[in-house]
Amino acid sequence: MKFSRLAEQTEASPILAVAAAINARKQQGETIYNLTVGDFDPAIFPIPQALTEAIIRAYRARHTNYPAAAGLPQLREGAASMVNRMCGLDYQADEVIVASGCRPLVYAVYRSLVDAGDTVIYPVPSWNNENYTAMVGARAVAVETTAANHFMPTAEALAPHLKDATLVALCAPQNPTGTLFSKQNLVAICEQVIAENRRRGRQQKPLYVLFDQVYWALTFGTATFHHPAAVCPQIREVAICVDGISKAFAATGVRVGWATGPRAVLQKMSSIIGHIGAWAPKPEQIAAGAFLADRPAVGRHLAQFREQLQARLNEFHAGFMALKGNGYAVDAIAPQAAIYLSVRIAIQNRDRNRTRGAGANQLDGEHAVQEYLLNEAKIGILPFSLFGAKNHHDWFRLSVGTCSQEEIPDVMANLQAALEKLS
Ligand SMILES: Cc1ncc(COP(=O)(O)O)c(C=O)c1O
């Protein structure tokens, strides 16, 4: 062993590796519709102009020294003000800490609460929990979800595992599925956690819940995001909610995130983040704080951003439904939130002959389907297995963050032709 055990077992993200391979092919001149990334093309989805200008102003005003460890007061207030006014809550600024995006905050939640050998529960498919769990040396309990429940974990599915756990890591809207908790299910989950902590009493480490909510402001149509603290106030004692500007404001490269939660937990997280130095840059903090507090500016941005994302997701969904109606072996869940569509493409050997587009072929496994679609249809999408799911070999994540509306008919025509070839 040449490196630490942690380094030996930590792999680079396979998701980023897929995107890098596609980009390399694009640079060679190939036309590929890259629907794999959880990111945005800034030429299509720029950050709000007011945010850009405020960042530049802050650099010109030389706000370039270290920021306060837990984040600048104006950003902690700005983040609290947005969450409070949009979710009907009353977080104080000192119940918010800041870091350079959601990732260091999620890592700090794991590091602050979970010891090696502790148990972490998370649903699959979900984003990155297996890596965070491995990094802290915890025991993972991956709870499989079902298409019927939109791939969200139910209170019943989580219940048997709570007794031995330290952390339940949840995400809504969920990456990779673009789906939400129903209010009823979220309340039931929170009540179970509260009941488990009552059972443990004050001597034992409580069961904590991480809610990764970075996509919460991107909901569509009648789909509603329920903030856990709004539907179950008591959960605030053990709930850490992670959020940021990365997705709602298409600002993945700007690196500003925040967490709300119990003050004592936040203090520990802040110490860990401080030692890593994962603060958000000070000019970005100043700009984001002012922007988030500006209700009309946030409202205008979100209205147009949601509309553009929803139009793309709806068009893809309609395309999949049309193919399904014509007997092809595909399906999709109606868009609810985030930048993702859950799509089913059942063309592996094991799905053979059930429907059109699943004739005899050599497609063994979801990675073969992924490769086939890439080579034959020039479409890049990601199988749910890359998000830890074992049971959903024919479901994939389709992202619209780098997709222009005009290219959707071409993508769907390519998909149909590739399916037809297998018939
Ligand atoms: C659910 C979820 N949480 C967090 C992140 C990372 O957020 P950030 O870029 O703010 O670190 C992502 C990115 O894809 C995500 O999907």
Side-chain angles (χ1 to χ4, degrees):
M1 193 172 82
K2 294 195 198 75
F3 307 105
S4 69
R5 279 194 190 85
L6 174 67
E8 291 281 351
Q9 76 183 17
T10 304
E11 299 290 340
S13 160
I15 299 168
L16 296 183
V18 174
I22 292 177
N23 284 337
R25 284 171 66 164
K26 284 174 82 165
Q27 269 167 13
Q28 299 295 314
E30 233 181 299
T31 299
I32 298 182
Y33 302 102
N34 186 3
L35 309 176
T36 65
V37 286
D39 198 0
F40 301 93
D41 179 346
I44 302 174
F45 295 116
I47 66 171
Q49 183 67 21
L51 183 57
T52 306
E53 277 158 18
I55 292 170
I56 293 168
R57 269 202 308 278
Y59 274 101
R60 291 223 164 96
R62 300 189 182 175
H63 289 296
T64 49
N65 57 336
Y66 283 130
L72 295 187
Q74 58 264 54
L75 176 53
R76 298 169 80 187
E77 277 157 26
S81 100
M82 183 178 80
V83 174
N84 289 344
R85 72 176 181 262
M86 290 174 69
C87 299
L89 289 161
D90 60 354
Y91 280 108
Q92 304 299 303
D94 68 346
E95 292 174 280
V96 180
I97 60 162
V98 172
S100 57
C102 296
R103 288 168 200 246
L105 292 158
V106 172
Y107 180 62
V109 168
Y110 274 80
R111 268 281 166 239
S112 305
L113 304 177
V114 183
D115 285 307
D118 282 359
T119 297
V120 177
I121 311 171
Y122 53 85
V124 285
S126 69
W127 177 82
N128 237 3
N129 285 305
E130 59 193 285
N131 293 316
Y132 291 117
T133 304
M135 282 167 92
V136 299
R139 185 176 80 91
V141 174
V143 175
E144 288 282 345
T145 54
T146 63
N149 289 320
H150 301 149
F151 301 106
M152 294 304 285
T154 61
E156 295 75 40
L158 295 173
H161 309 290
L162 299 184
K163 198 166 130 311
D164 302 316
T166 298
L167 180 69
V168 190
L170 302 174
C171 176
Q174 172 105 291
N175 178 6
T177 58
T179 53
L180 289 156
F181 283 118
S182 70
K183 184 175 174 182
Q184 192 189 14
N185 188 30
L186 182 60
V187 170
I189 292 171
C190 292
E191 284 176 350
Q192 279 179 354
V193 171
I194 292 164
E196 170 57 20
N197 283 330
R198 205 174 297 125
R199 188 191 69 77
R200 287 185 195 191
R202 294 264 162 211
Q203 299 310 315
Q204 237 183 304
K205 187 154 74 171
L207 172 59
Y208 290 99
V209 198
L210 164 65
F211 289 100
D212 182 340
Q213 315 195 132
V214 67
Y215 298 96
W216 72 269
L218 303 178
T219 54
F220 310 120
T222 54
T224 307
F225 166 75
H226 299 286
H227 195 294
V231 298
C232 185
Q234 215 188 321
I235 199 69
R236 268 169 83 156
E237 290 173 19
V238 289
I240 301 91
C241 300
V242 171
D243 193 0
I245 64 170
S246 297
K247 309 294 173 161
F249 303 98
T252 48
V254 180
R255 308 313 301 153
V256 176
W258 57 88
T260 54
R263 291 178 178 87
V265 176
L266 295 185
Q267 253 170 32
K268 296 294 177 200
M269 288 171 58
S270 185
S271 304
I272 288 171
I273 289 166
H275 287 306
I276 306 169
W279 303 297
K282 191 172 176 187
E284 278 78 348
Q285 290 200 39
I286 291 169
F291 180 75
L292 296 177
D294 184 345
R295 188 182 188 142
V298 169
R300 271 195 307 277
H301 163 80
L302 287 178
Q304 60 84 25
F305 193 32
R306 282 189 193 122
E307 193 183 307
Q308 292 178 40
L309 293 171
Q310 187 176 7
R312 286 162 173 77
L313 290 164
N314 280 351
E315 190 168 339
F316 272 122
H317 181 252
F320 272 82
M321 290 301 106
L323 288 179
K324 184 182 176 186
N326 284 328
Y328 289 99
V330 301
D331 206 347
I333 294 179
Q336 295 179 8
I339 57 174
Y340 308 119
L341 196 66
S342 289
V343 300
R344 179 168 178 260
I345 303 177
I347 55 174
Q348 292 174 42
N349 258 337
R350 58 179 128 174
D351 305 313
R352 173 194 302 185
N353 289 336
R354 273 196 223 142
T355 35
R356 242 174 120 181
N361 64 57
Q362 298 306 311
L363 298 177
D364 271 325
E366 67 277 13
H367 294 292
V369 172
Q370 186 187 356
E371 275 303 301
Y372 177 74
L373 294 176
L374 193 55
N375 294 328
E376 200 57 44
K378 307 295 174 196
I379 302 170
I381 53 175
L382 294 176
F384 275 12
S385 62
L386 286 182
F387 300 87
K390 302 249 183 311
N391 288 353
H392 304 295
H393 70 280
D394 47 6
W395 283 89
F396 296 78
R397 179 186 88 171
L398 182 158
S399 167
V400 296
T402 59
C403 165
S404 76
Q405 192 88 38
E406 296 72 46
E407 69 193 30
I408 297 175
D410 296 336
V411 174
M412 293 311 298
N414 284 10
L415 175 61
Q416 179 165 1
L419 295 175
E420 195 54 44
K421 237 180 167 172
L422 297 173
S423 293

